[in-house]
């Protein structure tokens, strides 16, 4: 495949972005591919979007912790103001994530509009290709385990523990909704590619983003932040077991499942 630059190969890109794109290609066994401005701009915007998404989740954790302090601050346990404020914030963070995905989609659309040619027979990978059944099962099991922890905390007769469990429930439902929005974006955003190499890179980016989303950092940390040490000892032991089992499962998944580059090549071979 030719390496000569195309006259309309993509939008302008900084030298640093091109260098990082070349390193990204080398890490994914695509060292022979040319780091085009198209790929460089797409990787750069995804890096910024990923950082912003991490900030959104950090804000959710901090807001949940602040809402939980109302259980110890002398406020009546039934007072709904902190819970309503947390719910409103979760809705705002969900909107922020939607706008963030929309920004990435617009950058991709502008990049695609500059291409002098488009790759023939474009693929639109489904969830089995992008996420994969093992990661999907892991995500569902993680959510189910977190809901079991919430339900068991709600069953504790202590009103403080119950209020903290409600805060945990709102936070977990919020992060699940944010992840669902991100996965929907990955599955529905259009493919932007000018040749087979950039098409492979497009699939790799989707697979990597999907796997990153299934790492349940918030689902693991939020129960510990809110209820560990306050709930009964059996609940704390269950939370630790949930964390350890999750860590074992994610390590096994990363070790036994094919790399994102391998998955992308399989998708390309069946298109």
């Amino acid at each position: 495949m030719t390496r000569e630059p195309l006259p309309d190969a993509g939008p302008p890109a900084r030298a640093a972005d091109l260098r990082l794109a070349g390193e990204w290609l080398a890490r994914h066994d695509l060292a022979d591919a040319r780091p085009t401005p198209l790929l460089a701009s797409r990787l750069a915007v995804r890096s910024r979007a990923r950082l912003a998404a991490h900030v959104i989740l950090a804000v959710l954790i901090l807001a949940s912790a602040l809402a939980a302090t109302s259980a110890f601050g002398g406020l009546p346990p039934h007072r709904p103001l902190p819970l309503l404020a947390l719910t409103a914030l979760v809705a705002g963070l969900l909107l922020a994530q939607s706008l963030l995905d929309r920004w990435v989609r617009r950058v991709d659309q502008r990049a695609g509009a500059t291409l002098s040619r488009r790759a023939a027979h474009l693929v639109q990978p489904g969830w089995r290709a992008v996420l994969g059944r093992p990661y999907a099962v892991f995500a569902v099991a993680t959510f189910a385990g977190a809901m079991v922890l919430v339900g068991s905390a709600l069953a504790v007769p202590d009103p403080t523990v119950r209020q903290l469990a409600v805060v945990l429930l709102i936070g977990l439902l919020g992060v699940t909704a944010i992840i669902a929005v991100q996965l929907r974006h990955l599955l529905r955003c259009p493919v932007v590619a000018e040749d087979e190499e950039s098409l492979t890179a497009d699939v790799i980016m989707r697979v990597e983003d999907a796997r990153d989303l299934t790492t349940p950092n918030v689902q693991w940390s939020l129960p510990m932040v809110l209820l560990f040490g306050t709930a009964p000892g059996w609940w704390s032991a269950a939370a630790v077991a949930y964390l350890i089992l999750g860590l074992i499962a994610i390590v096994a998944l990363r070790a036994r499942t094919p790399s994102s580059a391998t998955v992308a090549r399989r998708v390309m071979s069946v298109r």
Side-chain angles (χ1 to χ4, degrees):
M1 187 170 293
T2 181
R3 290 196 185 188
E4 285 77 20
L6 297 171
D8 298 321
R14 297 183 304 171
D17 291 339
L18 286 170
R19 177 178 54 80
L20 292 175
E23 294 173 356
W24 185 89
L25 289 170
R27 288 198 306 270
H28 294 86
D29 301 324
L30 294 171
D32 292 336
R34 175 172 50 86
T36 63
L38 169 68
L39 177 63
S41 63
R42 296 190 71 199
L43 288 174
V45 73
R46 272 159 178 75
S47 176
R48 299 183 187 104
R50 188 178 292 112
L51 177 60
H54 289 162
V55 171
I56 288 175
L57 295 179
V59 169
L60 177 59
I61 294 176
L62 291 175
S64 299
L66 289 175
T69 59
S70 64
F72 307 100
L75 295 176
H78 62 274
R79 186 167 181 175
L81 184 59
L83 300 181
L84 292 176
L86 178 61
T87 303
L89 178 65
V90 167
L93 294 177
L94 186 59
L95 176 61
Q97 183 61 58
S98 299
L99 295 175
L100 191 62
D101 292 338
R102 185 179 179 185
W103 171 56
V104 174
R105 190 160 53 248
R106 285 184 173 179
V107 170
D108 283 350
Q109 289 171 348
R110 288 197 297 268
T114 66
L115 297 180
S116 58
R117 58 189 174 94
R118 301 296 293 268
H121 308 296
L122 290 178
V123 294
Q124 186 68 38
W127 71 268
R128 287 184 178 86
V130 173
L131 183 58
R133 192 181 300 275
Y135 279 92
V137 170
F138 173 71
V140 172
T142 298
F143 176 77
M147 290 299 103
V148 169
L149 287 177
V150 171
S152 59
L154 288 171
V156 175
D158 188 339
T160 298
V161 173
R162 287 183 175 180
Q163 184 172 356
L164 292 174
V166 173
V167 174
L168 177 60
L169 177 62
I170 295 172
L172 289 176
L173 291 178
V175 71
T176 301
I178 291 172
I179 291 174
V181 167
Q182 292 177 283
L183 284 175
R184 179 178 178 272
H185 166 72
L186 285 177
L187 295 174
R188 298 190 61 179
C189 64
V191 173
V192 180
E194 58 188 338
D195 51 30
E196 185 173 348
E197 291 171 344
S198 58
L199 186 55
T200 302
D202 185 285
V203 179
I204 290 175
M205 284 188 279
R206 293 171 191 261
V207 174
E208 282 190 334
D209 288 346
R211 291 181 177 183
D212 183 64
L213 288 175
T214 57
T215 304
N217 298 311
V218 178
Q219 295 91 323
W220 288 340
S221 60
L222 208 54
M224 298 296 183
V225 170
L226 297 180
L227 279 161
F228 192 81
T230 302
W234 61 265
W235 189 96
S236 298
V240 172
Y242 167 73
L243 174 59
I244 293 175
L245 289 174
L247 286 171
I248 293 174
I250 195 66
V251 170
L253 274 177
R254 297 290 172 87
R256 297 178 65 87
T257 53
S259 67
S260 57
T262 301
V263 172
R265 290 190 176 91
R266 288 179 181 175
V267 173
M268 296 290 294
S269 66
V270 299
R271 67 189 179 102

